[in-house]
Amino acid sequence: QVQLVESGGGLVQPGGSLRLSCAASGFAFSSYAMSWYRRAPGNERELVARIFSNGGSTVYADSMKGRCSISRDNAKNTVYLQMNSLKPEDTARYYCNTKLDLLDAWGQGTLVTVSS
């Protein structure tokens, strides 16, 4: 059973930081790229960050460049998203995603609220 479980969301003040985690199971984690997406109410889903299987190539949304860093620990089957200098417009539910051979897998999401 493929499973992605996000954690680490919560309420943070503008300028603060959060580290999101995604615990993966049920597939060969180290062989697949992992991504973080987010969706705010009324907005389209957007890619936040992606890290490829070798861990050396990453992609970031323009709005997050310089403010976040995606990383992975293959020994723990976990991908992380460190977010700094958070802004109210970063408020969204953040989802972990991987595109497997036969399945596009998603987690349940973790809510990030940036508010003073």
Side-chain angles (χ1 to χ4, degrees), residues 4 6 20-22 24 27 29 32-38 45-53 57-60 70-72 78-81 94-99 104-107:
L4 303 174
E6 302 95 331
L20 308 183
S21 298
C22 173
F27 65 100
F29 177 81
Y32 292 89
M34 300 295 298
S35 299
W36 287 96
Y37 287 80
R38 69 184 181 188
R45 181 188 67 196
E46 67 171 330
L47 176 69
V48 178
R50 175 173 293 142
I51 185 167
F52 292 90
S53 59
S57 297
T58 57
V59 175
Y60 296 100
I70 187 170
S71 61
R72 65 192 297 159
T78 301
V79 62
Y80 305 94
L81 183 68
Y94 286 71
Y95 298 89
C96 185
N97 164 260
T98 188
K99 297 186 184 299
D104 192 358
W106 295 88

Side-chain angles (χ1 to χ4, degrees), residues 37-110:
Y37 287 80
R38 69 184 181 188
R39 188 165 190 165
N43 291 358
E44 295 285 331
R45 181 188 67 196
E46 67 171 330
L47 176 69
V48 178
R50 175 173 293 142
I51 185 167
F52 292 90
S53 59
N54 63 10
S57 297
T58 57
V59 175
Y60 296 100
D62 288 342
S63 63
M64 296 295 289
K65 288 180 178 177
R67 299 193 296 118
C68 74
S69 178
I70 187 170
S71 61
R72 65 192 297 159
D73 186 338
N74 287 341
K76 295 183 177 180
N77 282 13
T78 301
V79 62
Y80 305 94
L81 183 68
Q82 177 70 44
M83 299 190 292
N84 306 311
S85 301
L86 286 164
K87 305 174 181 179
E89 50 263 46
D90 295 320
T91 296
R93 183 169 289 274
Y94 286 71
Y95 298 89
C96 185
N97 164 260
T98 188
K99 297 186 184 299
L100 303 174
D101 295 344
L102 300 176
L103 176 67
D104 192 358
W106 295 88
Q108 82 289 344
T110 185

Side-chain angles (χ1 to χ4, degrees), residues 3-23:
Q3 190 170 36
L4 303 174
V5 181
E6 302 95 331
S7 62
L11 176 64
V12 64
Q13 294 185 345
S17 298
L18 284 174
R19 189 173 79 157
L20 308 183
S21 298
C22 173

